[in-house]
Amino acid sequence: MMQEEKMTAPISSVGADAEQSGNNTNTIITDTSENFNICEENFRRMQMDFLRELDSSYIKTVSMSELYESVFYSSPPIIDGLLYPGTYLFVGAPKLGKSFFMAQLAYHVSTGTPLWNYPVRKGTVLYLALEDDYRRLQSRLYRMFGTESTDNLFFSVTSNQLGKGLTEQLSGFIAEHRDTALIIIDTLQKVRETSGESFSYGNDYDIISQLKKFSDANKICLLLVHHTRKQKSDDNFDMISGTNGLLGAADGAFLLYKEKRTSDKAVLEISGRDQQDQKLHVTRNRETLAWELEKAETELWKNPPEPILEKISEFINSNNPEWQGSPTELVSLLGIEIKPNTLTLKLNVNSGRLYNEYGIRYESKRTHNGRLVRFWLEGEISRVDA
């Protein structure tokens, strides 16, 4: 509204103000022309992109430079180093203790309590215990956690099937609980549509793809409990019941197995797209039936410190939760020797890490006056006490 007033006022003035009005009008017309040219160029580019996509021989591509210019908002881990947003399989033989493991994960996420030596980000959890009843759940939870209950952990022993209202039910739950971080479906077989192609690669792949699309859209972790087959294999993950389409479409898998069926000791193997492969040795507590970490065969690799991110975290804090300015101003503020455009590219690539490790959001955009970057503080990660 203010800009419109500046544009119309000089035109309506007459007499002694005519010369001054002419100067103001020229300046404003120049700015308006620049804005119009930019809008026209953007519209022409959008029109060209639309026409290209109508061409069946056109394949949309992104250059390496365009990738570096983009800022992708990654979601933080649910359990740092162990469980991430996405769709995962949790696989093991029947009656091995998978449901106790699920209850343990659900409880720790819903309370924000570190699991073993892994930091946890607190969030609401929905556990579909489709092979249980509420009496058994009550008994199991009391044995594991006593009277230490939580309002952020919800259970259901019934649900619709995939393709018959399941995702609508899950969407409804998330709408009521915006901080939902984890949904457990125990078991996958209970929500699968039955068909003559139940165990074809294409059908298995499609089932997980549908669930992955849902978890990605809602930025949550969807954990699917499943069974192993009896046949042994050189690759333990080949023992997942069904075809390779299940693991192929999933973001990762957890495989729980015992060397001896009667033993309290088990091995938990983990493989995923966004995490390091791990092999954990766990023991089941005979009193609580909860799983305890005995040792990890592989030590988690950690990114080396990034000095730029550390410097940003020094001045973005609860006392100064937001800052914005040009990359040149940021270089001066940080007191480092680096080209402003190089700094912007490094921040674009490390934006996810800046948020996950320091709780700082980052935004970069072009304006008529040049590049503008912005930082703001958002949330904190529950960490293990040193």
Side-chain angles (χ1 to χ4, degrees):
M1 180 63 70
M2 291 298 293
Q3 187 174 357
E4 291 177 0
E5 291 176 358
K6 289 180 180 179
M7 291 176 63
T8 56
I11 297 173
S12 62
S13 63
V14 293
D17 294 332
E19 183 177 351
Q20 183 178 358
S21 300
N23 291 338
N24 287 342
T25 304
N26 288 340
T27 301
I28 292 165
I29 287 176
T30 300
D31 293 341
T32 306
S33 299
E34 289 177 359
N35 292 341
F36 177 77
N37 289 337
I38 291 172
C39 291
E40 187 178 35
E41 182 181 346
N42 289 338
F43 177 76
R44 190 179 296 113
R45 187 180 297 113
M46 291 172 60
Q47 191 176 41
M48 288 294 295
D49 289 342
F50 176 74
L51 292 173
R52 283 176 180 170
E53 291 181 7
L54 292 178
D55 185 354
S56 60
S57 63
Y58 170 73
I59 180 171
K60 188 175 182 178
T61 61
V62 177
S63 70
M64 184 175 178
S65 297
E66 289 174 321
L67 278 177
Y68 279 21
E69 287 284 346
S70 302
V71 177
F72 298 100
Y73 292 108
S74 62
S75 299
I78 310 300
I79 302 178
D80 199 4
L82 191 68
L83 193 61
Y84 294 78
T87 296
Y88 290 82
L89 299 168
F90 193 98
V91 187
K95 307 300 184 291
L96 192 65
K98 298 188 299 300
S99 293
F100 281 86
F101 214 128
M102 293 302 97
Q104 195 169 347
L105 287 175
Y107 182 82
H108 280 264
V109 173
S110 65
T111 58
T113 308
L115 176 67
W116 306 325
N117 58 337
Y118 296 91
V120 173
R121 183 177 293 270
K122 184 178 178 179
T124 292
V125 179
L126 171 62
Y127 184 2
L128 301 184
L130 304 179
E131 292 187 344
D132 283 309
D133 56 43
Y134 289 121
R135 181 201 60 78
R136 188 179 296 115
L137 283 173
Q138 182 192 67
S139 176
R140 181 182 304 157
L141 293 168
Y142 180 73
R143 183 167 183 176
M144 295 179 75
F145 310 111
T147 57
E148 296 295 324
S149 62
T150 170
D151 292 331
N152 295 324
L153 175 53
F154 296 84
F155 298 89
S156 180
V157 295
T158 61
S159 78
N160 293 330
Q161 288 187 317
L162 185 62
K164 297 180 180 178
L166 174 64
T167 54
E168 289 80 3
Q169 287 181 321
L170 300 184
S171 295
F173 179 86
I174 293 174
E176 292 183 13
H177 307 278
R178 295 292 185 180
D179 64 338
T180 299
L182 172 64
I183 294 179
I184 298 171
I185 299 180
D186 186 359
T187 62
L188 173 62
Q189 191 61 34
K190 285 287 187 176
V191 299
R192 291 185 63 163
E193 291 184 271
T194 56
S195 69
E197 296 184 40
S198 294
F199 296 102
S200 72
Y201 180 93
N203 186 264
D204 283 349
Y205 193 93
D206 182 61
I207 287 169
I208 303 300
S209 294
Q210 290 181 55
L211 293 170
K212 176 172 167 51
K213 183 178 179 181
F214 177 85
S215 64
D216 290 350
N218 290 282
K219 297 180 174 57
I220 64 164
C221 175
L222 194 57
L223 194 55
L224 313 171
V225 180
H226 195 47
H227 299 305
T228 54
R229 65 180 80 189
K230 293 182 179 180
Q231 299 95 321
K232 292 291 184 179
S233 174
D234 293 335
D235 183 350
N236 287 331
F237 286 95
D238 285 340
M239 293 191 297
I240 297 175
S241 180
T243 72
N244 290 333
L246 294 176
L247 183 58
D251 290 295
F254 296 76
L255 179 63
L256 183 68
Y257 61 90
K258 292 181 179 181
E259 296 297 336
K260 293 183 179 179
R261 182 75 185 183
T262 56
S263 174
D264 294 326
K265 298 181 181 297
V267 175
L268 180 65
E269 290 195 35
I270 307 166
S271 181
R273 292 193 180 110
D274 296 324
Q275 63 199 105
Q276 178 183 336
D277 287 356
Q278 296 182 71
K279 191 172 186 178
L280 308 179
H281 293 265
V282 294
T283 303
R284 202 171 185 190
N285 185 303
R286 291 191 176 185
E287 181 179 348
T288 65
L289 297 182
W291 292 93
E292 299 172 352
L293 179 64
E294 185 177 306
K295 66 174 182 177
E297 282 195 16
T298 52
E299 185 176 348
L300 284 175
W301 183 85
K302 293 184 178 180
N303 285 320
E306 173 55 68
I308 291 175
L309 303 187
E310 291 188 340
K311 282 183 172 292
I312 290 172
S313 70
E314 290 174 3
F315 75 89
I316 299 294
N317 49 51
S318 56
N319 295 323
N320 181 41
E322 185 176 4
W323 182 90
Q324 69 176 12
S326 69
T328 302
E329 292 172 328
L330 183 60
V331 168
S332 177
L333 179 64
L334 297 179
I336 56 178
E337 294 185 5
I338 188 174
K339 293 180 179 180
N341 64 324
T342 302
L343 174 61
T344 303
L345 293 179
K346 288 178 76 71
L347 289 171
N348 291 348
V349 174
N350 287 283
S351 61
R353 185 177 175 186
L354 181 64
Y355 177 61
N356 292 340
E357 295 183 15
Y358 302 98
I360 299 173
R361 287 289 193 186
Y362 162 75
E363 180 181 66
S364 173
K365 62 181 179 181
R366 290 189 182 275
T367 68
H368 299 310
N369 297 322
R371 174 72 63 179
L372 183 70
V373 297
R374 174 176 170 243
F375 304 95
W376 69 98
L377 195 63
E378 183 182 297
E380 293 182 359
I381 297 176
S382 167
R383 297 203 175 273
V384 180
D385 294 333

mmCIF file with all atom_site columns, all heavy atoms in Angstrom, residues 166-185:
data_model
loop_
_atom_site.group_PDB
_atom_site.id
_atom_site.type_symbol
_atom_site.label_atom_id
_atom_site.label_alt_id
_atom_site.label_comp_id
_atom_site.label_asym_id
_atom_site.label_entity_id
_atom_site.label_seq_id
_atom_site.pdbx_PDB_ins_code
_atom_site.Cartn_x
_atom_site.Cartn_y
_atom_site.Cartn_z
_atom_site.occupancy
_atom_site.B_iso_or_equiv
_atom_site.pdbx_formal_charge
_atom_site.auth_seq_id
_atom_site.auth_comp_id
_atom_site.auth_asym_id
_atom_site.auth_atom_id
_atom_site.pdbx_PDB_model_num
ATOM 1   N N   . LEU A 1 166 ? -5.933 -47.156 6.128  1.00 0.00 ? 166 LEU A N   1
ATOM 2   C CA  . LEU A 1 166 ? -4.869 -47.085 7.128  1.00 0.00 ? 166 LEU A CA  1
ATOM 3   C C   . LEU A 1 166 ? -4.196 -45.706 7.151  1.00 0.00 ? 166 LEU A C   1
ATOM 4   O O   . LEU A 1 166 ? -4.060 -45.091 8.207  1.00 0.00 ? 166 LEU A O   1
ATOM 5   C CB  . LEU A 1 166 ? -3.813 -48.159 6.864  1.00 0.00 ? 166 LEU A CB  1
ATOM 6   C CG  . LEU A 1 166 ? -2.570 -48.089 7.774  1.00 0.00 ? 166 LEU A CG  1
ATOM 7   C CD1 . LEU A 1 166 ? -2.951 -48.335 9.225  1.00 0.00 ? 166 LEU A CD1 1
ATOM 8   C CD2 . LEU A 1 166 ? -1.501 -49.081 7.318  1.00 0.00 ? 166 LEU A CD2 1
ATOM 9   N N   . THR A 1 167 ? -3.762 -45.234 5.991  1.00 0.00 ? 167 THR A N   1
ATOM 10  C CA  . THR A 1 167 ? -3.052 -43.948 5.962  1.00 0.00 ? 167 THR A CA  1
ATOM 11  C C   . THR A 1 167 ? -3.966 -42.803 6.392  1.00 0.00 ? 167 THR A C   1
ATOM 12  O O   . THR A 1 167 ? -3.494 -41.827 6.986  1.00 0.00 ? 167 THR A O   1
ATOM 13  C CB  . THR A 1 167 ? -2.471 -43.670 4.560  1.00 0.00 ? 167 THR A CB  1
ATOM 14  O OG1 . THR A 1 167 ? -3.516 -43.762 3.576  1.00 0.00 ? 167 THR A OG1 1
ATOM 15  C CG2 . THR A 1 167 ? -1.381 -44.666 4.218  1.00 0.00 ? 167 THR A CG2 1
ATOM 16  N N   . GLU A 1 168 ? -5.264 -42.926 6.117  1.00 0.00 ? 168 GLU A N   1
ATOM 17  C CA  . GLU A 1 168 ? -6.200 -41.899 6.575  1.00 0.00 ? 168 GLU A CA  1
ATOM 18  C C   . GLU A 1 168 ? -6.273 -41.890 8.107  1.00 0.00 ? 168 GLU A C   1
ATOM 19  O O   . GLU A 1 168 ? -6.336 -40.824 8.734  1.00 0.00 ? 168 GLU A O   1
ATOM 20  C CB  . GLU A 1 168 ? -7.590 -42.141 5.985  1.00 0.00 ? 168 GLU A CB  1
ATOM 21  C CG  . GLU A 1 168 ? -7.705 -41.858 4.489  1.00 0.00 ? 168 GLU A CG  1
ATOM 22  C CD  . GLU A 1 168 ? -7.169 -42.996 3.613  1.00 0.00 ? 168 GLU A CD  1
ATOM 23  O OE1 . GLU A 1 168 ? -6.766 -44.038 4.180  1.00 0.00 ? 168 GLU A OE1 1
ATOM 24  O OE2 . GLU A 1 168 ? -7.166 -42.843 2.385  1.00 0.00 ? 168 GLU A OE2 1
ATOM 25  N N   . GLN A 1 169 ? -6.260 -43.084 8.712  1.00 0.00 ? 169 GLN A N   1
ATOM 26  C CA  . GLN A 1 169 ? -6.277 -43.157 10.171 1.00 0.00 ? 169 GLN A CA  1
ATOM 27  C C   . GLN A 1 169 ? -5.001 -42.554 10.768 1.00 0.00 ? 169 GLN A C   1
ATOM 28  O O   . GLN A 1 169 ? -5.046 -41.805 11.740 1.00 0.00 ? 169 GLN A O   1
ATOM 29  C CB  . GLN A 1 169 ? -6.409 -44.615 10.626 1.00 0.00 ? 169 GLN A CB  1
ATOM 30  C CG  . GLN A 1 169 ? -7.795 -45.208 10.421 1.00 0.00 ? 169 GLN A CG  1
ATOM 31  C CD  . GLN A 1 169 ? -7.869 -46.648 10.920 1.00 0.00 ? 169 GLN A CD  1
ATOM 32  O OE1 . GLN A 1 169 ? -6.938 -47.432 10.755 1.00 0.00 ? 169 GLN A OE1 1
ATOM 33  N NE2 . GLN A 1 169 ? -9.002 -47.000 11.535 1.00 0.00 ? 169 GLN A NE2 1
ATOM 34  N N   . LEU A 1 170 ? -3.868 -42.888 10.163 1.00 0.00 ? 170 LEU A N   1
ATOM 35  C CA  . LEU A 1 170 ? -2.591 -42.365 10.655 1.00 0.00 ? 170 LEU A CA  1
ATOM 36  C C   . LEU A 1 170 ? -2.518 -40.850 10.479 1.00 0.00 ? 170 LEU A C   1
ATOM 37  O O   . LEU A 1 170 ? -2.006 -40.131 11.348 1.00 0.00 ? 170 LEU A O   1
ATOM 38  C CB  . LEU A 1 170 ? -1.424 -43.042 9.932  1.00 0.00 ? 170 LEU A CB  1
ATOM 39  C CG  . LEU A 1 170 ? -1.337 -44.566 10.080 1.00 0.00 ? 170 LEU A CG  1
ATOM 40  C CD1 . LEU A 1 170 ? -0.089 -45.096 9.392  1.00 0.00 ? 170 LEU A CD1 1
ATOM 41  C CD2 . LEU A 1 170 ? -1.364 -44.980 11.546 1.00 0.00 ? 170 LEU A CD2 1
ATOM 42  N N   . SER A 1 171 ? -3.035 -40.360 9.357  1.00 0.00 ? 171 SER A N   1
ATOM 43  C CA  . SER A 1 171 ? -3.057 -38.908 9.118  1.00 0.00 ? 171 SER A CA  1
ATOM 44  C C   . SER A 1 171 ? -3.922 -38.203 10.158 1.00 0.00 ? 171 SER A C   1
ATOM 45  O O   . SER A 1 171 ? -3.573 -37.111 10.627 1.00 0.00 ? 171 SER A O   1
ATOM 46  C CB  . SER A 1 171 ? -3.591 -38.604 7.712  1.00 0.00 ? 171 SER A CB  1
ATOM 47  O OG  . SER A 1 171 ? -2.727 -39.101 6.719  1.00 0.00 ? 171 SER A OG  1
ATOM 48  N N   . GLY A 1 172 ? -5.046 -38.829 10.517 1.00 0.00 ? 172 GLY A N   1
ATOM 49  C CA  . GLY A 1 172 ? -5.924 -38.258 11.532 1.00 0.00 ? 172 GLY A CA  1
ATOM 50  C C   . GLY A 1 172 ? -5.229 -38.168 12.884 1.00 0.00 ? 172 GLY A C   1
ATOM 51  O O   . GLY A 1 172 ? -5.373 -37.173 13.606 1.00 0.00 ? 172 GLY A O   1
ATOM 52  N N   . PHE A 1 173 ? -4.449 -39.202 13.219 1.00 0.00 ? 173 PHE A N   1
ATOM 53  C CA  . PHE A 1 173 ? -3.712 -39.189 14.491 1.00 0.00 ? 173 PHE A CA  1
ATOM 54  C C   . PHE A 1 173 ? -2.677 -38.071 14.495 1.00 0.00 ? 173 PHE A C   1
ATOM 55  O O   . PHE A 1 173 ? -2.546 -37.326 15.479 1.00 0.00 ? 173 PHE A O   1
ATOM 56  C CB  . PHE A 1 173 ? -3.037 -40.541 14.734 1.00 0.00 ? 173 PHE A CB  1
ATOM 57  C CG  . PHE A 1 173 ? -2.242 -40.593 16.006 1.00 0.00 ? 173 PHE A CG  1
ATOM 58  C CD1 . PHE A 1 173 ? -2.869 -40.917 17.205 1.00 0.00 ? 173 PHE A CD1 1
ATOM 59  C CD2 . PHE A 1 173 ? -0.888 -40.314 16.007 1.00 0.00 ? 173 PHE A CD2 1
ATOM 60  C CE1 . PHE A 1 173 ? -2.144 -40.953 18.387 1.00 0.00 ? 173 PHE A CE1 1
ATOM 61  C CE2 . PHE A 1 173 ? -0.152 -40.347 17.187 1.00 0.00 ? 173 PHE A CE2 1
ATOM 62  C CZ  . PHE A 1 173 ? -0.792 -40.672 18.383 1.00 0.00 ? 173 PHE A CZ  1
ATOM 63  N N   . ILE A 1 174 ? -1.931 -37.949 13.401 1.00 0.00 ? 174 ILE A N   1
ATOM 64  C CA  . ILE A 1 174 ? -0.900 -36.915 13.314 1.00 0.00 ? 174 ILE A CA  1
ATOM 65  C C   . ILE A 1 174 ? -1.510 -35.526 13.377 1.00 0.00 ? 174 ILE A C   1
ATOM 66  O O   . ILE A 1 174 ? -0.942 -34.602 13.962 1.00 0.00 ? 174 ILE A O   1
ATOM 67  C CB  . ILE A 1 174 ? -0.070 -37.100 12.019 1.00 0.00 ? 174 ILE A CB  1
ATOM 68  C CG1 . ILE A 1 174 ? 0.736  -38.407 12.097 1.00 0.00 ? 174 ILE A CG1 1
ATOM 69  C CG2 . ILE A 1 174 ? 0.857  -35.916 11.778 1.00 0.00 ? 174 ILE A CG2 1
ATOM 70  C CD1 . ILE A 1 174 ? 1.471  -38.752 10.817 1.00 0.00 ? 174 ILE A CD1 1
ATOM 71  N N   . ALA A 1 175 ? -2.695 -35.361 12.784 1.00 0.00 ? 175 ALA A N   1
ATOM 72  C CA  . ALA A 1 175 ? -3.374 -34.062 12.833 1.00 0.00 ? 175 ALA A CA  1
ATOM 73  C C   . ALA A 1 175 ? -3.697 -33.671 14.280 1.00 0.00 ? 175 ALA A C   1
ATOM 74  O O   . ALA A 1 175 ? -3.667 -32.491 14.633 1.00 0.00 ? 175 ALA A O   1
ATOM 75  C CB  . ALA A 1 175 ? -4.648 -34.103 11.995 1.00 0.00 ? 175 ALA A CB  1
ATOM 76  N N   . GLU A 1 176 ? -3.990 -34.666 15.126 1.00 0.00 ? 176 GLU A N   1
ATOM 77  C CA  . GLU A 1 176 ? -4.290 -34.397 16.530 1.00 0.00 ? 176 GLU A CA  1
ATOM 78  C C   . GLU A 1 176 ? -3.023 -34.264 17.366 1.00 0.00 ? 176 GLU A C   1
ATOM 79  O O   . GLU A 1 176 ? -3.035 -33.611 18.417 1.00 0.00 ? 176 GLU A O   1
ATOM 80  C CB  . GLU A 1 176 ? -5.152 -35.530 17.107 1.00 0.00 ? 176 GLU A CB  1
ATOM 81  C CG  . GLU A 1 176 ? -6.561 -35.602 16.536 1.00 0.00 ? 176 GLU A CG  1
ATOM 82  C CD  . GLU A 1 176 ? -7.379 -36.698 17.187 1.00 0.00 ? 176 GLU A CD  1
ATOM 83  O OE1 . GLU A 1 176 ? -6.947 -37.218 18.237 1.00 0.00 ? 176 GLU A OE1 1
ATOM 84  O OE2 . GLU A 1 176 ? -8.442 -37.052 16.644 1.00 0.00 ? 176 GLU A OE2 1
ATOM 85  N N   . HIS A 1 177 ? -1.933 -34.885 16.896 1.00 0.00 ? 177 HIS A N   1
ATOM 86  C CA  . HIS A 1 177 ? -0.670 -34.879 17.647 1.00 0.00 ? 177 HIS A CA  1
ATOM 87  C C   . HIS A 1 177 ? 0.445  -34.426 16.702 1.00 0.00 ? 177 HIS A C   1
ATOM 88  O O   . HIS A 1 177 ? 1.132  -35.238 16.081 1.00 0.00 ? 177 HIS A O   1
ATOM 89  C CB  . HIS A 1 177 ? -0.382 -36.267 18.214 1.00 0.00 ? 177 HIS A CB  1
ATOM 90  C CG  . HIS A 1 177 ? -1.512 -36.841 19.019 1.00 0.00 ? 177 HIS A CG  1
ATOM 91  N ND1 . HIS A 1 177 ? -1.727 -36.523 20.338 1.00 0.00 ? 177 HIS A ND1 1
ATOM 92  C CD2 . HIS A 1 177 ? -2.521 -37.681 18.666 1.00 0.00 ? 177 HIS A CD2 1
ATOM 93  C CE1 . HIS A 1 177 ? -2.800 -37.152 20.785 1.00 0.00 ? 177 HIS A CE1 1
ATOM 94  N NE2 . HIS A 1 177 ? -3.298 -37.858 19.783 1.00 0.00 ? 177 HIS A NE2 1
ATOM 95  N N   . ARG A 1 178 ? 0.623  -33.116 16.620 1.00 0.00 ? 178 ARG A N   1
ATOM 96  C CA  . ARG A 1 178 ? 1.538  -32.525 15.643 1.00 0.00 ? 178 ARG A CA  1
ATOM 97  C C   . ARG A 1 178 ? 2.993  -32.878 15.890 1.00 0.00 ? 178 ARG A C   1
ATOM 98  O O   . ARG A 1 178 ? 3.834  -32.762 14.994 1.00 0.00 ? 178 ARG A O   1
ATOM 99  C CB  . ARG A 1 178 ? 1.384  -30.997 15.641 1.00 0.00 ? 178 ARG A CB  1
ATOM 100 C CG  . ARG A 1 178 ? 0.009  -30.514 15.172 1.00 0.00 ? 178 ARG A CG  1
ATOM 101 C CD  . ARG A 1 178 ? -0.180 -30.798 13.702 1.00 0.00 ? 178 ARG A CD  1
ATOM 102 N NE  . ARG A 1 178 ? -1.440 -30.252 13.193 1.00 0.00 ? 178 ARG A NE  1
ATOM 103 C CZ  . ARG A 1 178 ? -1.843 -30.368 11.947 1.00 0.00 ? 178 ARG A CZ  1
ATOM 104 N NH1 . ARG A 1 178 ? -1.086 -31.014 11.075 1.00 0.00 ? 178 ARG A NH1 1
ATOM 105 N NH2 . ARG A 1 178 ? -2.993 -29.854 11.556 1.00 0.00 ? 178 ARG A NH2 1
ATOM 106 N N   . ASP A 1 179 ? 3.316  -33.295 17.108 1.00 0.00 ? 179 ASP A N   1
ATOM 107 C CA  . ASP A 1 179 ? 4.706  -33.632 17.419 1.00 0.00 ? 179 ASP A CA  1
ATOM 108 C C   . ASP A 1 179 ? 4.988  -35.126 17.265 1.00 0.00 ? 179 ASP A C   1
ATOM 109 O O   . ASP A 1 179 ? 5.980  -35.634 17.799 1.00 0.00 ? 179 ASP A O   1
ATOM 110 C CB  . ASP A 1 179 ? 5.054  -33.187 18.838 1.00 0.00 ? 179 ASP A CB  1
ATOM 111 C CG  . ASP A 1 179 ? 4.242  -33.927 19.903 1.00 0.00 ? 179 ASP A CG  1
ATOM 112 O OD1 . ASP A 1 179 ? 3.162  -34.449 19.554 1.00 0.00 ? 179 ASP A OD1 1
ATOM 113 O OD2 . ASP A 1 179 ? 4.684  -33.980 21.063 1.00 0.00 ? 179 ASP A OD2 1
ATOM 114 N N   . THR A 1 180 ? 4.133  -35.832 16.528 1.00 0.00 ? 180 THR A N   1
ATOM 115 C CA  . THR A 1 180 ? 4.347  -37.268 16.310 1.00 0.00 ? 180 THR A CA  1
ATOM 116 C C   . THR A 1 180 ? 5.697  -37.515 15.659 1.00 0.00 ? 180 THR A C   1
ATOM 117 O O   . THR A 1 180 ? 6.030  -36.912 14.642 1.00 0.00 ? 180 THR A O   1
ATOM 118 C CB  . THR A 1 180 ? 3.232  -37.870 15.432 1.00 0.00 ? 180 THR A CB  1
ATOM 119 O OG1 . THR A 1 180 ? 1.976  -37.703 16.079 1.00 0.00 ? 180 THR A OG1 1
ATOM 120 C CG2 . THR A 1 180 ? 3.473  -39.352 15.173 1.00 0.00 ? 180 THR A CG2 1
ATOM 121 N N   . ALA A 1 181 ? 6.488  -38.400 16.260 1.00 0.00 ? 181 ALA A N   1
ATOM 122 C CA  . ALA A 1 181 ? 7.827  -38.708 15.748 1.00 0.00 ? 181 ALA A CA  1
ATOM 123 C C   . ALA A 1 181 ? 7.933  -40.146 15.254 1.00 0.00 ? 181 ALA A C   1
ATOM 124 O O   . ALA A 1 181 ? 8.672  -40.427 14.308 1.00 0.00 ? 181 ALA A O   1
ATOM 125 C CB  . ALA A 1 181 ? 8.876  -38.470 16.839 1.00 0.00 ? 181 ALA A CB  1
ATOM 126 N N   . LEU A 1 182 ? 7.186  -41.058 15.880 1.00 0.00 ? 182 LEU A N   1
ATOM 127 C CA  . LEU A 1 182 ? 7.342  -42.485 15.588 1.00 0.00 ? 182 LEU A CA  1
ATOM 128 C C   . LEU A 1 182 ? 5.980  -43.170 15.572 1.00 0.00 ? 182 LEU A C   1
ATOM 129 O O   . LEU A 1 182 ? 5.163  -42.970 16.475 1.00 0.00 ? 182 LEU A O   1
ATOM 130 C CB  . LEU A 1 182 ? 8.241  -43.124 16.652 1.00 0.00 ? 182 LEU A CB  1
ATOM 131 C CG  . LEU A 1 182 ? 8.388  -44.645 16.644 1.00 0.00 ? 182 LEU A CG  1
ATOM 132 C CD1 . LEU A 1 182 ? 9.058  -45.129 15.358 1.00 0.00 ? 182 LEU A CD1 1
ATOM 133 C CD2 . LEU A 1 182 ? 9.195  -45.103 17.860 1.00 0.00 ? 182 LEU A CD2 1
ATOM 134 N N   . ILE A 1 183 ? 5.747  -43.984 14.536 1.00 0.00 ? 183 ILE A N   1
ATOM 135 C CA  . ILE A 1 183 ? 4.576  -44.860 14.471 1.00 0.00 ? 183 ILE A CA  1
ATOM 136 C C   . ILE A 1 183 ? 5.080  -46.285 14.242 1.00 0.00 ? 183 ILE A C   1
ATOM 137 O O   . ILE A 1 183 ? 5.832  -46.547 13.305 1.00 0.00 ? 183 ILE A O   1
ATOM 138 C CB  . ILE A 1 183 ? 3.610  -44.456 13.341 1.00 0.00 ? 183 ILE A CB  1
ATOM 139 C CG1 . ILE A 1 183 ? 2.998  -43.080 13.621 1.00 0.00 ? 183 ILE A CG1 1
ATOM 140 C CG2 . ILE A 1 183 ? 2.498  -45.494 13.190 1.00 0.00 ? 183 ILE A CG2 1
ATOM 141 C CD1 . ILE A 1 183 ? 2.049  -42.590 12.535 1.00 0.00 ? 183 ILE A CD1 1
ATOM 142 N N   . ILE A 1 184 ? 4.680  -47.186 15.112 1.00 0.00 ? 184 ILE A N   1
ATOM 143 C CA  . ILE A 1 184 ? 5.091  -48.595 15.021 1.00 0.00 ? 184 ILE A CA  1
ATOM 144 C C   . ILE A 1 184 ? 3.888  -49.421 14.580 1.00 0.00 ? 184 ILE A C   1
ATOM 145 O O   . ILE A 1 184 ? 2.798  -49.301 15.159 1.00 0.00 ? 184 ILE A O   1
ATOM 146 C CB  . ILE A 1 184 ? 5.600  -49.107 16.382 1.00 0.00 ? 184 ILE A CB  1
ATOM 147 C CG1 . ILE A 1 184 ? 6.840  -48.307 16.809 1.00 0.00 ? 184 ILE A CG1 1
ATOM 148 C CG2 . ILE A 1 184 ? 5.925  -50.597 16.316 1.00 0.00 ? 184 ILE A CG2 1
ATOM 149 C CD1 . ILE A 1 184 ? 7.280  -48.598 18.239 1.00 0.00 ? 184 ILE A CD1 1
ATOM 150 N N   . ILE A 1 185 ? 4.085  -50.242 13.561 1.00 0.00 ? 185 ILE A N   1
ATOM 151 C CA  . ILE A 1 185 ? 3.036  -51.167 13.103 1.00 0.00 ? 185 ILE A CA  1
ATOM 152 C C   . ILE A 1 185 ? 3.515  -52.587 13.375 1.00 0.00 ? 185 ILE A C   1
ATOM 153 O O   . ILE A 1 185 ? 4.461  -53.065 12.751 1.00 0.00 ? 185 ILE A O   1
ATOM 154 C CB  . ILE A 1 185 ? 2.728  -50.976 11.601 1.00 0.00 ? 185 ILE A CB  1
ATOM 155 C CG1 . ILE A 1 185 ? 2.220  -49.554 11.339 1.00 0.00 ? 185 ILE A CG1 1
ATOM 156 C CG2 . ILE A 1 185 ? 1.691  -52.005 11.144 1.00 0.00 ? 185 ILE A CG2 1
ATOM 157 C CD1 . ILE A 1 185 ? 1.901  -49.277 9.882  1.00 0.00 ? 185 ILE A CD1 1
#
